[in-house]
Every structure is written in structure tokens, then in C-alpha cells.
Amino acid sequence: MSLLADFDGPATFALDGASAAAEPDVGALRAVAAAVADGLGRPRKRLPAWLLYDRRGSDLFERITDLPTYYLTRTERALLAAHAGEMIDAAGPPLGVVELGAGTASKTGLLLAALLARQERVLYRPVDVSPTALAQAAADLAHTERLTVRPVVARYPDQLGFLDPVGERRLVLFLGSNIGNFNPLEARTLLTALRRRLAAGDALLIGADRRKSPRILLPAYDDPEGVTAEFSRNVLHRLNRELGADFDLDRFSHLVRWNQAASRIEIYLQSRVAQRISLPRPGLQIRLREGERIHIESSYKLGIRRLAALFTRAGLRLERSWYDQRRWFGVHLVRVPPPNGRSLH
Ligand code: AVI
């Protein structure tokens, strides 16, 4: 049966991989326990950023995107609103759309509307670690005529099966500067894995925040309202709930640093006191010194030179970039070239 079979009428919604409202299954809990045992067992403690996005974490992230100091989402949305048609034309319809780290897909409607103006039917696959965010995305798009929404709960690059061919050119969206949450090696590994799964002529639209003054960057990640601090500390709440850990959230501060040499924002949870934590599920006891940090996220700020080098190393061809007037944020169209540099046409 073709995936296009159910294209008539308003958007359809099928959640592959997990149910929208379900509690984490055994496999998911095992992945959390393994990641925590690995990260907190190291001399320089760390937790992977994907742990931040449980149901409450996803809600808090949505609140972050509305904060006056968090300019990223607003700037990218304005860019998409101004240039969605050009971006779609440059990608080259007809297109099937996959979105990595879609979250609630609040900006994607702008691109989908531009595509639906150029093509009869559209299949859209939002991919995210958060089933609740995906359920919201699907609900918001449910009344869009001629659109089929097939959300996928997956963590990439480990799980890329959702990129299987759909019978038309694929456009992979990687918006919101999600690429900035991967270190350069991880970003290259991910883009290379995507390129290998895609076909010559398929395209990616990548949104990336640019390097700028720490006077602007730091408040974006340490807002006066304290929402980002709550978002950070929520990861400990998740570990208490899912792994039976005994973190006292009041004993941790949200700490944000600008690392100039690495061109990244670094986010830590810093222990306010010397303390011991027990995590029964992976069977771990940890000690934290007063002032000791747990790294929970980095957000790289990439200029076009570093980005272009990243794309080249991943075997992708940068075709076009769009920037806002302040040049704070860029959206880049890159394409999978034909093998051996042959022409696409
Ligand atoms: C999802 N990602 C692009 C956000 C960022 O800006 O790096 C995550 C975030 N963490 C704290 N605030 C926003």
C-alpha cells in the first residue's frame, strides 16, 4: 500500500514508535538508565541533552521559545514567514517532508503551506524524542487539507528508518538551531548518516543560530523569569521519577557559560553543597563536591565558514542561505550531490 493512499481530506495522524500519552516503556527506561550511568559515572559528569525533553521539559521548552530574551525561534519564524516560498522553490517540489527534532512543529506550517500551494498532496513526518510534543504537532496540523502527518518517536542518528524512500524527492527540515546541540563530530556523523540514507537530489533545510555577543547569548539561556533554569533542573525531576533517584532540586543551580574558543553556550547544573545521590535503577551512588558541575547541554553558534566546512565534510553541497536583517540566524539549503560529482539534471 502506498503511503499516499490516505491523502484525501484533512491531515491524518499516526504515531509510530510509541503512543502519545504513554509512560516511558521498558526500552526507553533502559536507555535513560544507561545514559545516566555512563554520564554520571565519569570524572566530568554529564547528562545527554535529549533527557531534557520529557513531557514537562517539552512544555517548558515551548515557554522558552516565547521568552523576550530567547530570540532564536522568533527570528527563524520571521525568516520562514518571509522566504518560505523561495525556500520550497529552491528545494524543488514535489517533495515529501521529514522534520528532525520537530517538537510541536510550530514554525513548520509556514513551509508546509508554501509546499501545499505548489503540490497537490504532502506527506509530513515529524520526528522527535517527545511523544507529547509530536501529539501536539499532529493536533495543530490536523485540519490542514491535503496534508498527511505521520509522526515518529525516534532518537537520531541511532534510528533513521523514518528516512525510507517515499516515492518523491525528500526535504529534511532541521530547524530551530537543533544542529547546535551536537558537537562538531556528532553533527558531522549525523549529517553523514542522513546523506547516506538520502538519494542524490534530496535536500535539507537547516536553521542555525550565529555567533554573536555574549551580552545577547547569555540572557537567551539564563532568562530573568527563570524558565530556562526550571527547564534545566527538570532533568533531575525526571531522574527522580523514572529512576527512583533522590536529587533535591533546590541543591542545584542553573549555570550558563559562553565558551569563546569552542563558540558554544554551555549549560550546567551546579551542586550548591557537597552531597550524595543514590540512583537505584542503574544501581549508582554518586558524590558531588560543592560547586561541582554536571554538563547538560551545549549550544554551538556557527558562522557560515564553520557550517560550510561541516556540510562539505558530510558530503553535502551548500546551495543557498537566508538571513534575518541583523544576521543573527541563518537558514541553509543543502543538497545530496550525485555520486562522482555528476550533474543532477
Ligand atoms: C533545542 N535547542 C536548539 C535549544 C538551544 O537553543 O540550544 C535548547 C535550549 N536549551 C536551553 N534553552 C534552549
Side-chain angles (χ1 to χ4, degrees):
M1 191 191 80
S2 154
L3 280 175
L4 310 184
D6 47 2
F7 262 161
D8 286 326
T12 58
F13 168 41
L15 194 60
D16 298 350
S19 95
E23 280 302 303
D25 60 30
V26 177
L29 282 178
R30 216 176 275 145
V32 172
V36 169
D38 173 58
L40 296 187
R42 292 168 183 254
R44 295 170 79 151
K45 296 182 176 50
R46 66 185 197 200
L47 290 168
W50 57 264
L51 281 175
L52 292 162
Y53 298 91
D54 64 353
R55 178 191 292 260
R56 183 153 179 275
S58 296
D59 287 348
L60 285 165
F61 181 66
E62 281 307 303
R63 282 177 58 198
I64 288 174
T65 62
D66 279 336
L67 291 170
T69 52
Y70 193 77
Y71 59 86
L72 287 81
T73 312
R74 191 171 309 117
T75 309
E76 188 182 48
R77 181 176 291 117
L79 258 177
L80 297 181
H83 303 290
E86 281 169 41
M87 291 172 182
I88 292 296
D89 285 338
L95 299 162
V97 181
V98 177
E99 181 168 12
L100 299 183
T104 59
S106 67
K107 291 160 288 175
T108 320
L110 295 161
L111 290 167
L112 293 174
L115 185 54
L116 282 161
R118 289 159 174 79
Q119 150 182 344
E120 182 53 28
R121 293 163 170 162
V122 174
L123 173 62
Y124 169 54
R125 311 209 82 190
V127 181
D128 206 277
V129 291
S130 168
T132 50
L134 286 175
Q136 183 65 51
D140 291 349
L141 293 168
H143 299 295
T144 308
E145 295 286 330
R146 299 181 286 116
L147 177 71
T148 296
V149 183
R150 292 201 183 281
V152 184
V153 179
R155 247 195 342 272
Y156 41 85
D158 347 353
Q159 304 163 315
L160 290 180
F162 50 82
L163 281 175
D164 290 345
V166 289
E168 54 199 352
R169 175 177 279 178
R170 282 161 291 185
L171 172 63
V172 177
L173 306 178
F174 198 23
L175 301 174
S177 206
N178 280 330
I179 192 157
N181 297 130
F182 293 81
N183 72 37
L185 181 61
E186 291 165 344
R188 179 176 162 186
T189 305
L190 171 63
L191 293 179
T192 304
L194 291 172
R195 195 250 305 146
R196 290 201 176 119
R197 278 274 186 163
L198 295 169
D202 287 346
L204 295 95
L205 204 52
I206 298 176
D209 193 21
R210 302 188 75 209
R211 193 180 162 108
K212 56 187 70 63
S213 163
R215 275 181 289 120
I216 297 158
L217 289 170
L218 289 168
Y221 293 87
D222 199 3
D223 57 280
E225 295 88 342
V227 182
T228 312
E230 213 179 322
F231 172 69
S232 291
R233 275 195 290 262
N234 179 61
V235 73
L236 302 179
H237 190 255
R238 174 177 190 170
L239 302 189
N240 287 350
R241 191 184 63 244
E242 295 186 11
L243 303 181
D246 59 358
F247 286 102
D248 176 351
L249 275 59
D250 291 337
R251 294 176 155 206
F252 290 87
S253 309
H254 166 75
L255 181 74
V256 181
R257 291 283 180 263
W258 168 242
N259 182 329
Q260 169 99 3
S263 198
R264 67 180 181 225
I265 285 285
E266 297 170 349
I267 306 183
Y268 301 90
L269 287 168
Q270 184 170 46
S271 181
R272 289 185 176 148
V273 292
Q275 52 180 321
R276 282 170 192 244
I277 313 290
S278 91
L279 297 105
R281 195 107 355 118
L284 196 67
Q285 297 272 347
I286 59 164
R287 282 165 189 258
L288 287 156
R289 298 182 306 277
E290 182 183 341
E292 189 172 348
R293 300 169 183 184
I294 304 174
H295 176 264
I296 55 167
E297 192 176 43
S298 288
S299 195
Y300 284 79
K301 305 301 167 187
L302 303 166
I304 192 62
R305 294 233 313 264
R306 280 199 201 206
L307 265 181
L310 171 64
F311 297 147
T312 305
R313 287 195 195 108
L316 294 163
R317 195 173 66 202
L318 174 61
E319 287 192 351
R320 200 164 159 191
S321 300
W322 292 264
Y323 297 100
D324 59 298
Q325 275 186 347
R326 295 182 294 197
R327 295 182 78 79
W328 278 11
F329 198 97
V331 174
H332 310 276
L333 183 79
V334 299
R335 200 175 301 277
V336 179
N340 311 322
R342 268 182 276 129
S343 161
L344 281 171
H345 304 290

